[in-house]
Structure formats: structure tokens, C-alpha cells
Amino acid sequence: MAEKSYEEEHPTKAVGWAARDQSGVLSPFKFSRRSTGEKDVRFKVLYCGICHSDLHMAKNEWGTSMYPLVPGHEIVGEVTEVGSKVEKFKVGDKVGVGCMVGSCHSCDSCNSDLENYCPKMILTYSTKYHDGTTTYGGYSDSMVTDEHFVVRIPDNLPLDAAAPLLCAGITVYSPLRFFNLDKPGMHVGVVGLGGLGHVAVKFAKAMGVKVTVISTSPKKKQEALEHLGADSFLVSRDQDEMQAAMGTMDGVIDTVSAMHPILPLISLLKTQGKLVLVGAPEKPLELPVFPLIMGRKIVGGSCIGGMKETQEMIDFAAKNNITADIEVISMDYVNTAMERLLKTDVRYRFVVDIGNTMKI
């Protein structure tokens, strides 16, 4: 008789990598997942993207971290068990979980398919679940999630390159749709060419939009135009280039999380243009009001998307062959990857090969 594996002997046990303190250093960690409830989907994690949020949370830079902390909210894998009342998924399905795993299901936001704005939204890791347990993320070999917060990954999307769409993808797709910056022939600027920015370019182009990448780095011009298919490129520090582009854009998606001036971006907008912030700088940005008044311009924000829209985004990505540009790494490389992420030394998203490299 074959010897049983650790997972077979302990069906609710999980293996992951966790940060134990504010140093943010990750190391192997054994813990328990809840048993599969009647509406739960249990799945074997195959890949998990590394989001900049994981770095912030591992180091408690936002002051909300609970240790031990298992990061990861760009999670894809294969269903191994479903609860008795699960209707949308079956064993063997390819699925994903993004930034949230719970909400109240009764507020205005939840009733409008905007669970991401529910006051009681439960994050995928480092928050308390309905039953009082701590949520643990996707740097682990398995997940158990209410089926409402699970998305189906279409067969033609490669799982590793689809994983970052569950955070980075929906973060830029949602504002393009909500702020009506998705109409063919429109002109949209994308500020920052990183994990969020590069997929914003891909989604906007697939919607038929003219895209200008705005970056502090002239080195990214060739990449933006030739590889990602942007129509034009602006160096934000070049005053002549920025001056020439004033008043030409219907909207700007700003993905930058570092401190930066937004007046030059407002100046790029046409009358009634929209600047949408999806990056989260640690300190407040300075907001000049006069240029908004004189052009009836809008500065807005957006945070991921509801579950209905997240599935819509994944299906749109599959139809248009949109994936993230990734560097696949092993689980034991994760601390080095975090150091590189801090220096923006990645093109454009690290994805951990959990299925093949997670060791006990």
C-alpha cells in the first residue's frame, strides 16, 4: 500500500510561506484551512502572482497586517472538492481567486454586484473571516473559498500568465468600463508601465482605444510602442512633450503608487476629461482645483471590481488573448523576488509556480 502524503493524512492542513514579523521575510509555514463547507470550493493552488500589496502587507507598511501572514491574492488552480450546494464549479475546473473572499451580501454595494466596495468586504489574506479565523492567501498549496468569490478561468488562458489579471487586470479593466473610457477612437493615457500599466495598455487597445503611455523613463518607449502596442509615448519629465499633448486625452488611468504631481496629468485631459487613480501613494497628493473647475474635469478612484465584472474581465481577456507579461519563479525564490520588486526589477509581474515548487 502506497504511503499517504501529508495532504492526504491531513485533509484540512495546508503548507505555505508566511511573514512572521515586520521584517517581511517569508519562510515555510504549516497551518489549517477550514473544512469544505456546503458552498465552498477547495482547490489546489498551481500559481500565485506577487502583487506590490504583498510587499506592503508583509512589512506591515499599511498598519493592518496580522502575523503570521500568508500573502497572495492572484491565485489560480484546479478544483479538488466542492460543497454540496456549489452550483457553478466541479472537480477538475480551472479557477481563480483575487483580492477578496467575502462580503455581507446585503448592502447596496453587494446588491449592485460591487462586493469590492462592501464595508464588510473580507480580504483574501490578513483579515478575519465570518467564522473568526484569519484569512491566508495564495502563497500556499490549497485554498478554500465561497464559490461566489471564485472565478472560472477559460481553457485558452495559460494559468500562470492569467493569475495577475485577478488583481492587476481587474484594477485597470473596471475603471476603463465604469468611466466610459472604453469606446473605440477615444484617447486614453496610462501613467506608469509596471504590473498595472502594462495590462491597462493591453485592455484599452483591445477595446479599440488609442493609448498613450506616460512614464518618467524614456527607456520604456520602445517596449511600450513595439511590444505592448501603445500608439504613443510621453516622457512626463519632458515639458515640451507634455505641453504638446495638453488637452488631447479623454481620460488618464494613473497606476503610479509613488508620490508624483497630478497637475501635469490633469492638463493632458480634454474638457470633461477624467483622471482615474488606481495606484495608492502613501501620502496625500496635492490636488489643484482651478484646472478642474475650468475644464469640468473629474479626478476619481477605483478599487479592483465586483465578482460579476471580474468574471467578465477574465472572459474578455480570454477572447482577446490578453495575459500579463510574467517571470515565473520557484517558491524558495520569493524573498529575492520581493527585493527585486522593491527596485522595480521585474517585467512585469512575478508569478510563483506553487504547484511544482511548494515544499513542506
Side-chain angles (χ1 to χ4, degrees):
M1 188 173 170
E3 188 176 323
K4 288 189 175 181
S5 69
Y6 176 83
E7 290 79 5
E8 289 170 323
E9 290 279 7
H10 306 86
T12 62
K13 297 296 182 184
V15 182
W17 278 52
R20 301 322 206 278
D21 54 44
Q22 293 188 8
S23 69
V25 175
L26 298 163
S27 58
F29 175 58
K30 289 183 180 181
F31 61 101
S32 292
R33 292 283 185 198
R34 69 176 183 272
S35 56
T36 309
E38 59 184 17
K39 291 187 177 181
D40 285 337
V41 173
R42 178 181 294 272
F43 65 94
K44 173 183 168 69
V45 177
L46 297 176
Y47 296 97
C48 185
I50 297 181
C51 177
H52 217 284
S53 305
D54 299 342
L55 184 58
H56 288 301
M57 289 294 290
K59 295 186 173 184
N60 195 28
E61 289 176 349
W62 292 335
T64 59
S65 301
M66 293 188 282
Y67 298 105
L69 182 146
V70 178
H73 59 205
E74 299 178 344
I75 315 160
V76 294
E78 183 175 324
V79 176
T80 56
E81 185 184 10
V82 295
S84 59
K85 293 188 178 178
V86 168
E87 299 176 352
K88 295 188 289 185
F89 303 99
K90 64 182 186 305
V91 172
D93 284 350
K94 300 297 190 294
V95 296
V97 168
C99 301
M100 57 183 169
V101 293
S103 68
C104 78
H105 298 290
S106 61
C107 68
D108 287 348
S109 291
C110 286
N111 290 332
S112 303
D113 295 314
L114 295 170
E115 302 92 342
N116 49 314
Y117 298 119
C118 173
K120 296 180 180 178
M121 176 182 68
I122 299 171
L123 297 173
T124 301
Y125 65 88
S126 200
T127 49
K128 291 296 182 185
Y129 197 62
H130 299 298
D131 60 6
T133 59
T134 300
T135 57
Y136 293 118
Y139 294 13
S140 60
D141 62 350
S142 64
M143 289 288 293
V144 181
T145 309
D146 184 309
E147 73 165 332
H148 185 80
F149 295 92
V150 178
V151 297
R152 181 181 304 281
I153 308 294
D155 290 337
N156 68 313
L157 273 184
L159 289 181
D160 53 0
L165 299 180
L166 294 164
C167 173
I170 187 60
T171 294
V172 295
Y173 178 91
S174 184
L176 286 168
R177 290 296 197 206
F178 178 78
F179 290 100
N180 296 311
L181 299 174
D182 56 352
K183 307 294 182 284
M186 279 188 157
H187 184 189
V188 172
V190 174
V191 188
L193 199 60
L196 295 176
H198 90 285
V199 286
V201 173
K202 294 185 181 189
F203 276 115
K205 286 300 295 179
M207 293 168 181
V209 171
K210 177 186 175 185
V211 178
T212 295
V213 170
I214 304 155
S215 173
T216 57
S217 174
K219 297 176 187 173
K220 293 187 176 179
K221 181 173 183 176
Q222 185 176 359
E223 173 80 8
L225 300 179
E226 296 178 14
H227 176 63
L228 296 173
D231 298 282
S232 54
F233 186 90
L234 288 177
V235 179
S236 56
R237 291 182 174 139
D238 187 320
Q239 291 190 349
D240 291 338
E241 282 190 19
M242 294 292 283
Q243 183 84 22
M246 281 178 65
T248 62
M249 298 181 192
D250 297 285
V252 172
I253 305 291
D254 185 353
T255 72
V256 175
S257 294
M259 292 297 294
H260 61 290
I262 60 173
L263 176 58
L265 304 178
I266 293 170
S267 300
L268 295 174
L269 296 172
K270 296 176 182 176
T271 300
Q272 302 185 134
K274 302 157 187 171
L275 169 61
V276 187
L277 309 175
V278 295
E282 291 176 18
K283 296 177 182 175
L285 298 176
E286 188 174 312
L287 179 64
V289 175
F290 202 65
L292 300 182
I293 294 172
M294 297 311 294
R296 195 154 73 175
K297 298 175 183 179
I298 291 171
V299 177
S302 187
C303 176
I304 56 171
M307 294 314 304
K308 181 180 178 182
E309 188 173 49
T310 301
Q311 186 67 63
E312 176 192 299
M313 176 275 303
I314 284 286
D315 293 342
F316 182 89
K319 182 180 177 183
N320 292 279
N321 296 310
I322 295 172
T323 54
D325 290 10
I326 61 170
E327 180 179 334
V328 179
I329 63 167
S330 61
M331 190 70 248
D332 60 9
Y333 187 78
V334 67
N335 289 308
T336 305
M338 291 287 195
E339 290 171 14
R340 286 179 54 192
L341 183 60
L342 198 56
K343 301 181 224 170
T344 63
D345 175 24
V346 57
R347 226 181 99 234
Y348 284 96
R349 206 64 152 188
F350 287 116
V351 173
V352 185
D353 181 353
I354 303 281
N356 290 312
T357 68
M358 177 66 75
K359 306 246 185 348
I360 297 172

